[in-house]
Amino acid sequence: MLQVVFWIAIAVVAYTFLGYGIVIALLVKLKGLFRKGDDNTQEDFVPEVTLVVPCFNEADIIKEKIINSLSLEYPNDKIEIVFITDGSNDHFREVLNEFPSVKLLHEDRRAGKTAAENRAMKFVKSPFVVFTDANTNLNKKAIKNIVKHFSKENVGCVSGEKRVLVEEEDSASSAGEGMYWKYESFLKKMDSKFYSAVGAAGELVAFRTSLYRDLPEDTILDDFMQSLLIASDGYRIVYEPDAYAMETGSDTTSEELKRKVRISAGGWQSMKRLFFKITPFNHPLLFFQYLSHRVLRWTITPFLLLLIFILNFFLLNEGLIYQLVMIAQLAFYAAALLGYILENRKLRIKVLFIPFYFCMMNYAVVAGLFRFLKGSQKSTWEKSKRKA
């Protein structure tokens, strides 16, 4: 029985982090054999759109963001740019006053990003709304590339791509984040081509205004919840890699870990709230993708990793294969520990980035669970310390 549980646990972990990527890629290939031209869009579709930028005490970077927003290749008479500040008390007004074409919505009460977005939507009159973070820069054709998918009536949300700018001297967490997002982008692309992406990146995401619904102000992952609720109504989430938001990685390992724990706490909260919304009975394809891409990674895999290690210890006398697996585990975790030690000493070896970041991600899931159960994760966002 121990051996059966051991190999099942390994199979689940392998499927979660590698197997699903292979399975969804094969399914996309198979779909392509039977349904060609299914994702055709109208390239000349240029509707009215509102670009909303939520921010909190971002006066030092919003000028760059405004300039980037005004430089986007989209007809000026078809786009409105709105900055919404939530309890900001820096000199944001002086910066925004330099750009009279940009609309400002401010409230002294600091209630968090979700509350700010709910408030912003009361002023949105266009049929489509695009949200983007203040600390990102968009490529010039981002808006055009993202809204063209709404020419298809079954598309309710479009997610852009998050690109992490990684330099040679970046920290292991920053470089690991960059590698993680490359793989995550591949999965999103496959998900979108097969049926629907599973969630959207808050760095750049667009919605049909008519489908947007106010979320509870304590929502941690507003972008994920909003997109999945739209998907639960029968609409597709499309992933568009040619609309991308660029940002630098986290400044330090502790900053990246703090961000990951917050995301994990939000993941647990989201799964609870979506429990009866996405099921194998009402959305079989979406449920399969949601379970494979999100739920397994956000729930049982960190605990399975611990179980695998413990069971392996008791199975060492059952054959050479168990001894080899234990050696492989010890080598992997030793590499992660070495990556952590060298990171703290500012010595960075790229080969150690993957085991180090993998372990940090799984630790964050467990820490996020405790935050969620204690109700200690705040929904108000903090100014992230990103690499300058």
Side-chain angles (χ1 to χ4, degrees):
M1 179 59 71
L2 288 182
Q3 293 182 52
V4 172
V5 174
F6 177 78
W7 290 111
I8 289 176
I10 286 181
V12 172
V13 171
Y15 173 77
T16 301
F17 293 105
L18 291 174
Y20 177 64
I22 297 171
V23 169
I24 197 67
L26 290 174
L27 288 173
V28 169
K29 285 280 189 183
L30 187 63
K31 178 185 175 183
L33 296 176
F34 297 97
R35 301 178 64 177
K36 297 187 182 296
D38 189 50
D39 289 325
N40 290 338
T41 56
Q42 296 179 22
E43 297 293 333
D44 59 347
F45 185 69
V46 188
E48 291 185 356
V49 63
T50 304
L51 179 65
V52 178
V53 186
C55 48
F56 168 71
N57 283 353
E58 303 281 13
D60 56 334
I61 62 172
I62 58 175
K63 184 171 184 177
E64 181 183 353
K65 180 65 177 182
I66 294 170
I67 293 172
N68 173 249
S69 300
L70 292 172
S71 69
L72 298 175
E73 294 179 3
Y74 204 79
N76 291 334
D77 61 335
K78 293 289 187 70
I79 185 171
E80 181 179 31
I81 300 173
V82 178
F83 275 67
I84 180 163
T85 57
D86 171 71
S88 294
N89 53 18
D90 56 6
H91 61 284
F92 66 94
R93 292 187 187 278
E94 288 85 343
V95 178
L96 284 160
N97 284 341
E98 297 179 39
F99 305 92
S101 63
V102 175
K103 187 174 184 178
L104 168 64
L105 299 174
H106 172 73
E107 189 173 273
D108 290 334
R109 180 179 76 110
R110 188 185 177 199
K113 187 178 180 182
T114 300
E117 291 178 344
N118 289 343
R119 181 161 51 91
M121 290 303 296
K122 304 297 186 293
F123 298 90
V124 173
K125 305 302 180 187
S126 59
F128 307 103
V129 59
V130 180
F131 288 98
T132 179
D133 286 348
N135 66 333
T136 65
N137 281 328
L138 307 183
N139 61 306
K140 288 189 177 295
K141 293 187 177 180
I143 303 299
K144 184 173 176 54
N145 288 339
I146 206 169
V147 300
K148 68 181 182 182
H149 293 282
F150 290 117
S151 61
K152 301 188 72 173
E153 292 296 325
N154 67 338
V155 175
C157 169
V158 185
S159 174
E161 179 170 287
K162 173 183 175 178
R163 295 189 180 180
V164 179
L165 302 175
V166 180
E167 297 179 7
E168 192 68 27
E169 70 276 10
D170 276 356
S171 67
S173 60
S174 181
E177 183 186 1
M179 288 184 280
Y180 165 78
W181 273 103
K182 285 180 181 178
Y183 181 59
E184 184 67 13
S185 296
F186 165 76
L187 292 180
K188 286 173 178 281
K189 189 185 299 183
M190 293 299 102
D191 279 338
S192 180
K193 287 184 175 181
F194 176 63
Y195 176 67
S196 174
V198 188
E203 288 78 10
L204 179 58
V205 58
F207 305 105
R208 286 187 186 272
T209 303
S210 60
L211 299 179
Y212 185 95
R213 62 183 75 180
D214 283 357
L215 297 175
E217 291 189 356
D218 67 342
T219 302
I220 301 170
L221 300 184
D222 54 284
D223 48 350
F224 181 79
M225 276 298 300
Q226 191 68 243
S227 57
L228 263 294
L229 286 173
I230 288 174
S232 72
D233 286 336
Y235 292 88
R236 288 182 63 217
I237 304 170
V238 171
Y239 181 67
E240 176 48 73
D242 287 331
Y244 50 88
M246 298 166 285
E247 68 176 39
T248 55
S250 298
D251 188 39
T252 63
T253 299
S254 60
E255 281 295 310
E256 178 64 6
L257 179 59
K258 181 171 70 175
R259 195 179 70 86
K260 283 293 182 187
V261 171
R262 182 183 188 277
I263 290 172
S264 298
W268 286 102
Q269 181 194 66
S270 300
M271 288 183 291
K272 178 185 177 184
R273 294 180 178 181
L274 290 168
F275 191 80
F276 294 107
K277 296 285 186 181
I278 302 173
T279 71
F281 307 104
N282 59 4
H283 299 292
L285 292 180
L286 181 63
F287 178 81
F288 158 68
Q289 295 177 282
Y290 174 54
L291 175 68
S292 300
H293 191 165
R294 297 296 184 190
V295 175
L296 291 177
R297 190 187 299 180
W298 282 352
T299 54
I300 65 172
T301 48
F303 302 99
L304 288 180
L305 289 168
L306 179 60
L307 179 64
I308 290 167
F309 190 84
I310 294 172
L311 290 180
N312 200 169
F313 179 79
F314 289 103
L315 292 170
L316 284 175
N317 293 325
E318 297 298 325
L320 178 62
I321 184 64
Y322 295 100
Q323 296 166 20
L324 293 175
V325 172
M326 177 58 83
I327 291 171
Q329 287 193 85
L330 291 173
F332 184 84
Y333 293 126
L337 179 60
L338 182 59
Y340 172 75
I341 294 171
L342 294 181
E343 169 69 13
N344 288 336
R345 296 183 179 181
K346 305 300 181 184
L347 298 172
R348 286 140 191 173
I349 302 175
K350 283 188 175 181
V351 72
L352 304 178
F353 289 172
I354 292 177
F356 173 75
Y357 196 77
F358 178 84
C359 290
M360 184 172 69
M361 282 175 54
N362 283 282
Y363 168 79
V365 170
V366 179
L369 172 60
F370 286 110
R371 285 255 191 108
F372 168 66
L373 293 175
K374 288 167 55 181
S376 60
Q377 179 59 61
K378 297 179 180 179
S379 59
T380 51
W381 78 98
E382 299 179 21
K383 186 175 180 181
S384 177
K385 294 178 181 178
R386 313 295 288 189
K387 188 176 182 295

